[in-house]
């Protein structure tokens, strides 16, 4: 089974890039089996729909615009997306992800299991680093995904970290 | 009595654009275009290494990644007067052309078609009739009755299951929708199919660029795509054969599906060749460099004033001083400090937000001008400039299309004209992709295996500009290098030219001007306004606020 971890967002608008930061964090710290692909989808939305269709299980990491505190973590499943129950966020790729999944479903290409893990951003100002509250949450979101993947039977090893760093 | 309508945001995909229109007697009397998000990304490039700028620059925009990388790398090459080997030019040209093909397919089907195509009406179509219409306009093999029936059945299930989801807010049944059910079904089927072909174009870019959506293969002075026909780790015969297969398939889709669909839809909406002209001054830069110094190009650039091809002044290369000196950006109505128009090398990005003041500052977008004039950029500019210059590639497709649609060149100054020009551009790009692949193979066959002139950044001050005729129009990146670091960086992007607010002389930008006179049948469903704005392929998402003359909101509708 091929599983795709899709990081969405814009790396140069600080917290907007949370999904991509998460992919980079996972790649640095863990050794994934070949059937798992970490993908930096940027803000392309509909132009990368094929990546979703090629997978059998998809996790999308993104930011969401909903009530709560910066760094609050939310999770949505495919039904939420198809019935338009996602909180529309204020980001440059606003409609991309939902439209992408919807068209895929209409084409009969959308995998049965699609989960979206979203965090509330603190800032969308220009900058290539996450804000402190989101920086704090990054290991937790990454950990949630790794635990779930292990639960699905994947063997995921932690990479040796260089202690001098 | 006039009504005020606010559309915010208006694109289907990228960033935030707000458009305010005042409607009088069923048509737009005044319009304001306002970019709602500050993207002062230039600021984060200051102090970085010039040779790394392109990899940041391709995150400027969520859709057109490749184009900013190309413009950025060219700005360094221009500053340091670096030649680019032919193989690298050909590889860049293939990436540029395939990126355009992908971008235009997605714009036509996914970002603008639903302004013209009524999904719900497609449910009433006879799939057999749809197939016979499709087969009468194209010999593409995917147009069977079975295919159309399957799409219609799937669509029915969705509508019955209440799963129209994000499409639920579309303007289905709007009086301005004119296509017969059969043509709507045709377009919806191709809307779904188009995703397979935009993917092939993305794959082609990835073969050369190393990765998609963000390419990895640029270096100052060329590309990092090693070419060796016999080495499996590089661009070899097998990869080139695969590239050719992918690009042939996308070409067939563009020429046998997208293009006939466009002509069919255009012929049902002839009145839209009369709306939406706006600013008819055009600017395009030459593209597809065919020598190592960016002086010889396949498609022409130039300036046209007032829609009159007799005023055509060619821009022959990327070093054209009249072009370089003529561009300024003003902030009289933009949320930046001051009111001056500055040349991009002297440009500043100092935000000063007020709020939306229709006679004051009302946008994050600056006002680019050429010799003080507002200019429209994009496919019509490139097509008209090339036509005026007598370019045989462009002349052939334009003449054939005009004959099919019964239109002349003046119909290109319109909402539908912009869609037609974009389709023609895609047509030409699909062919050029294959041309440059042949040229690449040929050149390597002659023994030229150079793909980069490795370049060190010298100390001292250098200024450069990288021009690129991108899918949305003329793009330029302006870089000042000092002590091996970036001292100033400004990007003058196509959507800034087109979405520009008024300037210090009160001249409106192309979006604003094009909306004046647009019909609006229903103030609470301003579909016609979307048609014109979407025709520019705005790159800067949608809720509609209808506001009464006292400024009170009557209704708010989300538009995708």
């Amino acid at each position: 089974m091929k599983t795709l971890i899709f990081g969405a967002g814009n790396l140069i608008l600080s917290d907007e890039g949370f999904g991509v930061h998460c992919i980079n964090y996972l790649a640095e710290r863990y050794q994934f089996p070949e059937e798992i692909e970490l993908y930096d989808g940027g803000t392309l939305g509909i132009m990368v729909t094929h990546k979703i269709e090629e997978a059998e299980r998809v996790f999308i990491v993104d930011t969401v615009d909903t009530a709560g505190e910066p760094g609050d973590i939310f999770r949505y499943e495919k039904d939420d997306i198809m019935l338009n129950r996602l909180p529309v966020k204020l980001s440059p790729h606003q409609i991309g992800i939902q439209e992408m999944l919807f068209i895929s479903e209409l084409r009969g290409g959308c995998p049965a299991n699609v989960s979206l893990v979203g965090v509330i951003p603190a800032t969308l100002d220009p900058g290539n680093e996450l804000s402190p509250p989101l920086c704090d949450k990054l290991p937790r979101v990454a950990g949630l995904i790794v635990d779930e993947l292990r639960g699905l039977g994947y063997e995921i090893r932690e990479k040796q970290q260089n202690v001098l760093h | 009595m006039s009504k005020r309508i606010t559309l915010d945001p208006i694109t289907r995909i990228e960033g935030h654009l707000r458009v305010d229109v005042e409607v009088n007697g069923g048509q737009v009397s005044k319009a304001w275009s306002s970019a709602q998000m500050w993207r002062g990304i230039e600021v984060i490039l200051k102090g970085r290494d010039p040779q790394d700028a392109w990899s940041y620059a391709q995150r400027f925009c969520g859709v057109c990644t490749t184009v900013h990388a190309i413009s950025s790398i060219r700005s360094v090459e221009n500053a340091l007067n670096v030649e680019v080997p032919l193989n690298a030019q050909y590889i860049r040209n293939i990436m540029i052309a395939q990126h355009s093909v992908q971008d235009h397919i997605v714009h036509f089907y996914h970002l603008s078609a639903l302004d013209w195509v009524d999904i719900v009406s497609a449910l009433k179509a006879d799939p057999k009739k749809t197939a016979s219409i499709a087969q009468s306009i194209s010999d593409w093999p995917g147009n069977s009755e079975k295919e159309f029936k399957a799409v219609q059945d799937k669509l029915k299930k969705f509508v019955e299951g209440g799963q129209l989801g994000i499409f639920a807010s579309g303007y289905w049944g709007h009086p301005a929708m004119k296509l017969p059910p059969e043509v709507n079904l045709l377009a919806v089927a191709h809307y779904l199919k188009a995703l397979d072909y935009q993917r092939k174009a993305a794959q082609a870019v990835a073969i050369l660029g190393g990765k998609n959506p963000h390419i990895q293969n640029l270096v100052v002075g060329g590309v990092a795509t090693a070419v060796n026909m016999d080495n499996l780790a590089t661009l070899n015969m097998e990869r080139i054969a695969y590239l050719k297969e992918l690009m042939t398939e996308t070409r067939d889709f563009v020429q046998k599906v997208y293009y006939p669909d466009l002509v069919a839809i255009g012929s049902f909406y002839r009145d839209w060749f009369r709306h939406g002209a706006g600013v008819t001054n055009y600017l395009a830069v030459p593209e597809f460099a065919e020598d190592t110094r960016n002086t010889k190009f396949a498609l022409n650039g130039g300036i046209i004033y007032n829609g009159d091809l007799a005023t055509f002044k060619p821009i022959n290369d990327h070093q054209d001083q009249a072009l370089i000196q003529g561009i300024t950006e003003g902030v009289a109505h933009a949320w930046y400090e001051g009111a001056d128009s500055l040349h991009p090398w002297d440009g500043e990005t100092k935000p000063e937000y007020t709020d939306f003041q229709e006679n004051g500052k009302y946008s994050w977008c600056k006002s680019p001008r050429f010799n003080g004039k507002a200019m429209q950029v994009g496919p019509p500019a490139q097509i008209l400039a090339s036509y005026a210059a007598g370019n045989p590639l462009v002349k052939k497709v334009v003449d054939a299309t005009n004959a099919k649609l019964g239109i002349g060149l003046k119909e290109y100054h319109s909402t539908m004209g912009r869609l037609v020009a974009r389709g023609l551009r895609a047509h030409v790009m699909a062919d050029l992709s294959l041309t440059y692949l042949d040229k690449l193979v040929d050149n390597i066959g002659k023994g030229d295996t150079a793909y980069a002139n490795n370049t060190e950044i010298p100390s001292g001050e250098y200024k450069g500009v990288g021009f690129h005729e991108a899918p949305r129009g003329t793009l330029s990146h302006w870089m000042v290098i000092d002590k091996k670091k970036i001292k100033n960086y400004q990007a003058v992007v196509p959507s800034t030219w087109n979405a520009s607010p008024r300037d210090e002389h009160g001249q409106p930008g192309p979006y604003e001007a094009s909306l004046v006179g647009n019909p609006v049948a229903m103030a609470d469903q301003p579909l016609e306004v979307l048609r014109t704005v979407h025709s520019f392929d705005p790159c800067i998402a949608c809720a509609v606020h209808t506001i009464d003359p006292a400024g009170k909101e009557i209704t708010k509708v989300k538009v995708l």
Side-chain angles (χ1 to χ4, degrees):
Chain A
M1 187 171 94
K2 203 186 146 203
T3 297
L4 180 77
I5 320 294
F6 186 110
N10 193 330
L11 261 190
I12 55 175
L13 294 176
S14 52
D15 291 349
E16 223 306 286
F18 183 81
V20 182
H21 283 285
C22 188
I23 296 296
N24 294 341
Y25 181 94
L26 287 165
E28 274 165 30
R29 275 152 222 268
Y30 297 93
Q31 189 70 49
F32 291 92
E34 248 177 48
E35 311 86 75
I36 295 178
E37 182 180 355
L38 301 175
Y39 185 67
D40 165 8
T43 54
L44 273 288
I46 200 162
M47 295 172 106
V48 289
T49 322
H50 51 275
K51 290 304 294 185
I52 304 283
E53 295 186 352
E54 284 159 10
E56 287 158 71
R57 179 84 180 82
V58 177
F59 292 90
I60 298 168
V61 187
D62 204 350
T63 51
V64 291
D65 176 34
T66 189
E69 296 294 315
D72 284 359
I73 303 168
F74 294 80
R75 169 149 179 170
Y76 305 89
E77 302 304 328
K78 191 176 167 185
D79 273 356
D80 300 317
I81 299 160
M82 291 304 148
L83 295 172
N84 209 18
R85 292 194 296 243
L86 282 187
V88 173
K89 60 186 178 167
L90 293 164
S91 88
H93 50 121
Q94 185 166 13
I95 295 148
I97 296 284
Q98 283 179 87
E99 189 166 42
M100 172 174 103
L101 291 170
F102 193 81
I103 295 174
S104 236
E105 181 73 0
L106 200 51
R107 281 160 50 85
C110 188
N113 288 302
V114 178
S115 307
L116 188 145
V117 180
V119 295
I120 298 180
T123 168
L124 305 177
D125 287 344
N128 58 348
E129 281 169 15
L130 291 174
S131 67
L134 267 72
C135 223
D136 291 349
K137 283 293 163 67
L138 190 57
R140 192 148 157 233
V141 172
L144 281 171
I145 292 170
V146 168
D147 288 348
E148 187 149 341
L149 291 168
R150 286 176 173 153
L152 291 168
Y154 290 116
E155 195 182 326
I156 297 165
R157 280 198 218 113
E158 268 180 72
K159 283 185 183 168
Q160 288 282 320
Q161 296 291 316
N162 187 341
V163 286
L164 293 174
H165 257 12
Chain B
M1 193 180 85
S2 74
K3 272 190 174 162
R4 177 78 168 262
I5 305 174
T6 303
L7 294 99
D8 170 24
I10 202 154
T11 50
R12 283 206 165 83
I13 187 160
E14 165 63 10
H16 290 160
L17 177 73
R18 164 179 165 174
V19 167
D20 281 44
V21 290
E22 216 168 79
V23 179
N24 256 313
Q27 61 179 30
V28 176
S29 50
K30 266 183 176 171
W32 294 265
S33 157
S34 168
Q36 289 288 292
M37 198 169 86
W38 184 55
R39 310 197 70 177
I41 292 163
E42 287 102 337
V43 176
I44 78 164
L45 281 168
K46 280 192 187 176
R48 294 189 189 275
D49 293 335
Q51 64 271 36
D52 295 341
W54 68 274
S55 70
Y56 286 92
Q58 65 173 332
R59 306 261 180 182
F60 270 15
C61 167
V63 187
C64 15
T65 53
T66 308
V67 304
H68 290 290
I70 295 280
S71 230
S72 182
I73 206 90
R74 282 180 175 169
S75 72
V76 188
E77 289 161 354
N78 174 265
L80 304 176
N81 204 15
V82 178
E83 283 189 58
V84 179
L86 272 184
N87 288 336
Q89 295 284 39
Y90 294 149
I91 288 172
R92 288 182 185 182
N93 286 350
I94 299 169
M95 291 195 299
I96 290 169
Q98 284 293 295
H99 172 79
S100 284
V101 167
Q102 180 189 21
D103 204 80
H104 292 336
I105 290 174
V106 169
H107 176 266
F108 181 67
Y109 286 105
H110 305 110
L111 305 179
S112 72
L114 300 188
D115 295 343
W116 311 91
V117 172
D118 188 328
I119 288 195
V120 176
S121 151
L123 295 174
K124 294 187 293 223
D126 174 355
K128 195 174 169 181
K129 278 190 195 157
T130 299
S132 89
I133 294 170
Q135 290 159 12
S136 74
I137 57 175
S138 171
D139 61 357
W140 195 64
N143 286 328
S144 67
E145 182 187 346
K146 198 176 146 209
E147 197 94 16
F148 293 120
K149 178 84 172 50
V151 167
Q152 195 183 42
D153 288 347
K154 187 97 192 170
L155 201 58
K156 268 191 190 138
K157 248 176 70 186
F158 264 67
V159 172
E160 284 161 6
Q163 274 192 316
L164 213 52
I166 54 162
F167 295 131
S169 54
Y171 293 143
W172 320 131
H174 190 286
M177 291 286 196
K178 303 285 188 206
L179 298 181
E182 282 72 24
V183 179
N184 282 316
L185 179 59
L186 172 82
V188 173
H190 292 163
Y191 170 99
L192 298 175
K193 205 78 200 159
L195 278 181
D196 294 332
Y197 293 89
Q198 65 84 26
R199 165 202 187 177
K200 289 179 200 288
Q203 285 174 306
V205 173
I207 288 175
L208 295 168
K211 192 166 167 266
N212 190 274
H214 305 102
I215 58 170
Q216 310 287 307
N217 70 324
L218 296 184
V219 291
V220 175
V223 295
T225 317
V227 188
N228 183 334
M229 292 304 185
D230 305 317
N231 182 341
L232 288 178
T234 63
L235 189 61
N236 58 30
M237 268 335 259
E238 190 201 339
R239 303 304 286 164
I240 284 174
Y242 183 43
L243 199 52
K244 188 163 192 160
E245 183 189 318
L246 287 169
M247 298 198 309
T248 304
E249 287 177 278
T250 47
R251 181 198 62 191
D252 288 354
F253 184 81
V254 166
Q255 299 185 353
K256 296 182 175 191
V257 183
Y258 173 7
Y259 177 74
D261 284 358
L262 173 65
V263 170
I265 291 174
S267 64
F268 281 99
Y269 287 105
R270 285 178 190 283
D271 49 333
W272 283 90
F273 285 112
R274 292 193 305 270
H275 302 306
V279 172
T280 56
N281 302 324
Y282 295 94
L283 165 68
V285 292
E287 192 50 85
F288 295 114
E290 295 190 332
D291 67 344
T292 60
R293 291 200 163 273
N294 289 356
T295 61
K296 239 187 94 199
F297 295 88
L299 298 178
N300 306 77
I303 314 281
I304 292 166
Y305 290 111
N306 302 315
D308 180 2
L309 264 58
T311 66
F312 174 67
K313 282 195 189 71
I315 295 169
N316 293 322
D317 58 53
H318 289 185
Q319 289 83 32
D320 188 297
Q321 284 305 308
L323 170 67
I324 291 171
Q325 301 305 327
I327 297 176
T328 54
E329 284 197 299
V331 294
H333 291 276
W335 288 312
Y336 299 94
E337 282 179 20
D340 295 339
S341 280
L342 297 174
H343 187 273
W345 276 324
D346 306 315
E348 296 175 344
T349 310
K350 294 178 181 166
E352 184 187 56
Y353 183 72
T354 57
D355 49 7
F356 188 98
Q357 298 173 338
E358 61 177 58
N359 297 311
K361 289 180 183 272
Y362 61 89
S363 179
W364 284 116
C365 194
K366 295 179 183 176
S367 307
R369 295 292 182 262
F370 181 73
N371 290 341
K373 288 195 160 43
M375 308 299 285
Q376 184 183 152
V377 300
Q382 189 181 31
I383 294 291
L384 291 170
S386 293
Y387 193 96
N391 188 300
L393 279 179
V394 169
K395 207 167 170 309
K396 191 176 148 204
V397 287
V398 168
D399 288 342
T401 306
N402 290 357
K404 280 197 184 96
L405 280 166
I407 59 170
L409 288 176
K410 70 177 195 318
E411 272 75 23
Y412 285 74
H413 316 303
S414 68
T415 298
M416 189 55 78
R418 274 185 284 273
L419 296 184
V420 170
R422 188 172 294 107
L424 294 176
R425 187 176 189 273
H427 199 290
V428 172
M429 298 287 146
D431 282 335
L432 281 174
S433 306
L434 289 158
T435 303
Y436 288 115
L437 187 62
D438 289 344
K439 283 183 190 260
L440 176 67
V441 172
D442 201 44
N443 196 51
I444 298 168
K446 286 178 190 156
D448 180 359
T449 53
Y451 48 89
N453 288 317
N454 291 326
T455 307
E456 293 274 317
I457 307 292
S459 46
E461 190 172 313
Y462 298 87
K463 284 179 178 180
V465 55
F467 287 103
H468 170 41
E469 189 64 20
R472 290 173 186 79
T474 297
L475 170 66
S476 53
H477 281 221
W478 306 74
M479 188 188 285
V480 181
I481 303 169
D482 189 31
K483 302 184 185 77
K484 301 187 178 191
K485 300 284 177 196
I486 296 171
K487 188 180 171 193
N488 198 6
Y489 202 100
Q490 294 286 323
V492 184
V493 307
S495 294
T496 314
W497 284 99
N498 288 337
S500 138
R502 290 159 177 72
D503 59 26
E504 65 267 38
H505 305 297
Q507 290 181 95
Y511 288 7
E512 297 179 329
S514 68
L515 285 166
V516 173
N518 248 241
V520 177
M522 299 157 80
D524 60 339
Q525 297 192 5
L527 175 64
E528 303 90 335
V529 174
L530 286 179
R531 284 179 175 170
T532 293
V533 177
H534 280 155
S535 73
F536 288 94
D537 193 1
C539 175
I540 321 174
C542 244
V544 180
H545 314 255
T546 307
I547 293 166
D548 72 11
K552 255 183 24 207
E553 189 170 272
I554 298 168
T555 176
K556 181 175 170 178
V557 193
K558 204 178 122 205
V559 181
L560 298 172

